[in-house]
Each structure stands twice: as C-alpha cells, then as structure tokens.
Amino acid sequence: MGCWDQNTSNIDLKDIQETSIPAYGFFAFGVLGNVLALCTICLNRQQHQWRSFYIFFLGLAMSDCLNQAIVFPFEVLRYESHFTYRISDDECHFISFSYAFTQISSGLIIAGLTTDQHMSLIMGRQLDTMVGNRRIYVFALFAMWAVAAFVSSIHLIFGESEIFYPGSWCFINVSSEDFGSSASALVYSLTGILTLIYTVSLHLYIMCRSHRDAELTGHLVDTDRITGYYDIHVNIFLMTSVTFYVLCWGPFLVDILLRSVNVVSSCTGRLELWLVRLVDFKSNLNPWLYVILRKENLRRIVRKFRSCRAGNIQDGEGDGENDRLVSDTHM
C-alpha cells in the first residue's frame, strides 16, 4: 500500500476517520487564552517593572494568534467538506511557512526570556535602568522574528511543501528525496533542537546558581514586589513553559530530523498529525500559564498555604497588612 496522498485519484475518503473536534477545541482554547493574556497585559502594563517579559510575551502571543488565524480556516474547510476540499499549492506553501515560523519564533522567544532572566541574575536591576532598554528588547524581538522567517522560508525557495494526512495541514516535504527539501527540514529541526538545548541548559544553570547564592536570587526580585516574596511567578512560568516546550515540541523536531537524514523512511500519516497537535497544544497553553501563574494568584496560594500551616483557617488572618498592600498593586 502506497503512502497517503490527497492527489491520488483512488483514495477512499471513508478511510479517513478523523474528527474536527481537536481543531475547534484547540482554536477556542488558544483564542480565549490569548485574549485573556493580552487583556491582562494591556490593563496592567504600567504596574510591572520587568518590561522585557511583557515585550517578549506579547510577541509570543502575537505569533500564536497569527498561526491560528491562518491555519484554522483551512482545517475547517477540509473537515466540514468531509475531506473533499483540497488545499492548493500556494495555500500549502502559506500554511507550511506559518507552522514553521510560529514554532521557531516561539522557541526563540522563550530562549530570549531565559537569556534575559540570566542577565537579570548577573546584573540585577541595572538591566532595567539602562538607557534605551525597551528599544533593545523590541529590536531583539524583531530579530527573533527575522531569524524565524528566514529558517521557515528556506523550503519555499529551495525545497517543497507537503500536504500531510488528512489533508488539513502542510509542512516541509520530508517524504521527498529532493536535496532542497531535506536540507530545509534539517535546518528547521536542528534550529529547534539547538534552541531547546540552549534554553534548558541555561534555565538549569539559573536555577542552580540562584539556589546556591541568595544574593544573586535577590537580583530576580521584582522591583514592584509588595509582600516581600521573591518574584517567582516569572520563574515558574519559564520553568513550566520550557518543560512543555521540550515535551510537546521535541518529539516533532526529532521526527522531522530523522526523516530529513533518511533514518526514518516510512510514510507520514497519523503520527505526524498527533505530533503537530501536540505542538499546537503547547502554543495554546502559554497564555493560560501566564493567566494562571499571575503574581497575585501565586501570592494568594502562598498566603493560604502559610495560613494553613500556622493553623489559621481563614485566609488573611494575621495577614491584613499584606492583603492591603496586595490590593493596592497588581501585576
């Protein structure tokens, strides 16, 4: 039996047993999360001093929203037509670029956040008081987008795009023996894998270094802190995001890498579909992590935990000053 190809005339559409529920679910989950996160950032943009986090996270949300706006309509057309709608070559190039760009740019932005955290660990608040600080971060964000656009467009010039099962999404052609496509897939996968390795290694170094040196840990304290707790909400967000990036994006990168060097030569199919859905889940999860791991929410959890340990049943007992201070300033 040959590999799946939507252009094959003898394809039996009854053999495609896929549902549109994941597509609708991921879209709703991602849009709602990004809207909530962006509204939160806009409403509180003047009340948090780590502007780099806001700039980078805003870029992360914009990248994810762009991909959802581009890819979702084609998925809906494919599923609602009962797989009779066929993506054209131009549409396929557009979708494959969007997928690759979103994944690479998101990985680079998380790496940028981790790098900025490391610089803050070393330099402390001097980093926030540098002249032109905000312009530097904006420039860095656009530089990441430029790198992601370059890596994502190589296959449009030297290679090909491939329509993957069940004909609802496209990516770099990893089934072709064409050198340009293989090289493009190799560049994409190596860029992603090296980005993950760099981010994980640097994050582990930051955790170890800050754990052993209390003075350096103080450099990560938010200048807008109120209750005296260390600014752990950004650290927890980064740690959780990095973990999900490795777990969700890593398998897809490994699959593309192995196919680009012909270690795996089997037909693409449902495995790639579920791997890319895993990547979509990772992208849609980021804004929810930000909303859930907001500073004041973590403070409430910490205060509740400390209150319970001290034997205080009601939240805020003996902590009225902290409650008053937290109510005056939000993230």
Side-chain angles (χ1 to χ4, degrees):
M1 182 177 178
C3 296
W4 183 89
D5 185 353
Q6 79 160 359
N7 295 318
T8 302
S9 58
N10 60 357
I11 233 179
D12 189 353
L13 297 180
K14 295 181 180 180
D15 294 335
I16 304 178
Q17 299 179 353
E18 301 295 338
T19 175
S20 60
I21 293 178
Y24 282 106
F26 283 144
F27 181 76
F29 183 66
V31 169
L32 181 59
N34 279 305
V35 169
L36 288 175
L38 290 175
C39 289
T40 301
I41 289 177
C42 292
L43 291 175
N44 300 278
R45 64 186 182 278
Q46 300 297 333
Q47 300 173 348
H48 193 285
Q49 300 303 313
W50 198 0
R51 295 185 178 90
S52 57
F53 176 79
Y54 277 80
I55 293 172
F56 285 143
F57 186 84
L58 182 62
L60 191 65
M62 290 173 62
S63 298
D64 293 339
C65 285
L66 179 64
N67 181 65
Q68 292 167 354
I70 291 175
V71 174
F72 181 69
F74 296 104
E75 289 183 320
V76 171
L77 285 174
R78 179 67 175 172
Y79 283 111
E80 296 303 325
S81 67
H82 301 289
F83 304 104
T84 58
Y85 174 80
R86 297 189 175 188
I87 297 176
S88 66
D89 290 340
D90 291 338
E91 292 170 345
C92 187
H93 293 323
F94 192 48
I95 295 173
S96 64
F97 172 82
S98 176
Y99 261 121
F101 174 79
T102 301
Q103 294 166 16
I104 293 293
S105 62
S106 297
L108 290 176
I109 291 173
I110 293 294
L113 280 167
T114 307
T115 302
D116 180 72
Q117 187 188 33
H118 177 254
M119 294 175 65
S120 295
L121 181 71
I122 302 302
M123 300 176 60
R125 293 298 104 185
Q126 297 177 9
L127 192 63
D128 278 338
T129 58
M130 290 173 54
V131 178
N133 180 290
R134 185 175 299 182
R135 294 191 186 94
I136 294 175
Y137 287 124
V138 173
F139 176 81
L141 177 61
F142 276 93
M144 294 175 194
W145 279 337
V147 172
F150 172 75
V151 173
S152 306
S153 60
I154 295 177
H155 72 285
L156 302 180
I157 303 173
F158 302 106
E160 300 173 346
S161 299
E162 177 182 2
I163 301 176
F164 284 75
Y165 173 88
S168 58
W169 65 287
C170 297
F171 203 69
I172 304 171
N173 192 340
V174 294
S175 302
S176 173
E177 297 181 356
D178 176 65
F179 174 77
S181 297
S182 299
S184 301
L186 183 63
V187 170
Y188 161 82
S189 58
L190 288 179
T191 301
I193 291 173
L194 291 176
T195 300
L196 287 182
I197 292 175
Y198 167 80
T199 305
V200 171
S201 301
L202 185 59
H203 191 71
L204 291 176
Y205 171 78
I206 292 172
M207 292 177 60
C208 294
R209 185 82 183 273
S210 60
H211 179 73
R212 291 184 300 179
D213 193 330
E215 183 177 352
L216 287 179
T217 304
H219 290 174
L220 295 179
V221 176
D222 191 342
T223 56
D224 195 33
R225 67 189 175 114
I226 298 299
T227 61
Y229 304 146
Y230 280 137
D231 192 19
I232 62 173
H233 71 290
V234 172
N235 299 329
I236 293 179
F237 172 81
L238 285 176
M239 180 178 64
T240 309
S241 293
V242 169
T243 301
F244 274 102
Y245 261 84
V246 173
L247 295 178
C248 297
W249 192 24
F252 184 76
L253 289 171
V254 171
D255 181 69
I256 297 298
L257 175 64
L258 295 179
R259 291 183 178 279
S260 67
V261 295
N262 293 323
V263 173
V264 175
S265 56
S266 59
C267 298
T268 59
R270 297 198 71 184
L271 174 62
E272 282 68 32
L273 174 63
W274 283 103
L275 288 179
V276 82
R277 283 177 176 174
L278 196 61
V279 175
D280 288 339
F281 172 75
K282 173 265 303 177
S283 299
N284 296 330
L285 186 64
N286 281 324
W288 286 101
L289 290 177
Y290 173 75
V291 173
I292 294 172
L293 299 178
R294 280 177 54 74
K295 182 189 302 182
E296 59 267 30
N297 292 338
L298 289 179
R299 285 175 176 169
R300 292 190 186 101
I301 294 173
V302 172
R303 289 203 311 275
K304 188 71 175 179
F305 177 74
R306 290 182 176 180
S307 176
C308 292
R309 288 190 61 183
N312 299 324
I313 303 302
Q314 294 185 358
D315 184 22
E317 183 178 338
D319 199 19
E321 182 180 359
N322 280 344
D323 286 343
R324 177 182 60 80
L325 289 173
V326 172
S327 65
D328 291 337
T329 304
H330 301 283
M331 176 177 161

